[in-house]
Amino acid sequence: MSTPQNPCRQAEAELLAHGLSLHETDLAPPRRDADPFHYLRVAGKGFAWFGGRDASPDELVLTVKLPISAEMVAELPFVQESKGWHKRNNWVTARFGPADDVLAELETLKAWMLQSYLSMAPRKLARQVAGD
């Protein structure tokens, strides 16, 4: 009998697959051997990253750019307060621990990833994807 997968790892796998399904995206190689992040890029520009230096293996940490809704989502219980450059540039970090129902928020996180992708993609590509 197999052990059920950690919901945060399950959500991360689903979100990575979603991000990679968007046009012209790739998973950037780690910058260093011990880099704890997974970066999704479009045309060489990062639009989402998973993990963080202080993230534990049993939690999900996702950072995306939300130029339209960053202020609206700031009060959600799973959104970490942004500071400095991240706040000025509308980057938002969602953090879910092992006791949180991350799977209930998957559609929201996918929509955030799309908004981030559209904000970072070249205009022609963003128009194409937004029209799909």
Side-chain angles (χ1 to χ4, degrees):
M1 188 166 156
S2 65
T3 306
Q5 187 178 15
N6 172 322
C8 288
R9 296 294 62 83
Q10 182 182 345
E12 183 174 346
E14 198 168 322
L15 291 167
L16 275 169
H18 171 70
L20 290 169
S21 73
L22 299 169
H23 297 292
E24 297 184 32
T25 60
D26 68 346
L27 189 59
R31 294 181 186 183
R32 296 175 294 280
D33 290 337
D35 197 344
F37 301 102
H38 296 286
Y39 295 95
L40 283 172
R41 302 181 300 188
V42 56
K45 294 170 77 177
F47 71 92
W49 68 86
F50 295 86
R53 288 180 185 23
D54 64 343
S56 72
D58 62 345
E59 67 180 346
L60 171 72
V61 179
L62 171 65
T63 302
V64 291
K65 184 175 178 88
L66 300 180
I68 298 169
S69 56
E71 287 184 29
M72 291 183 281
V73 305
E75 298 301 318
L76 292 173
F78 54 85
V79 172
Q80 210 175 285
E81 182 180 1
S82 295
K83 296 179 179 149
W85 182 90
H86 285 101
K87 186 172 187 164
R88 284 191 308 275
N89 291 285
N90 298 312
W91 287 90
V92 172
T93 299
R95 181 180 292 263
F96 295 89
D100 297 327
D101 190 3
V102 63
L103 299 177
E105 300 297 340
L106 271 179
E107 293 309 310
T108 297
L109 297 175
K110 287 178 182 180
W112 289 7
M113 287 179 70
L114 178 60
Q115 185 180 147
S116 187
Y117 169 92
L118 293 172
S119 74
M120 299 304 288
R123 285 184 190 166
K124 183 177 180 181
L125 185 57
R127 282 193 301 268
Q128 178 186 353
V129 171
D132 285 351

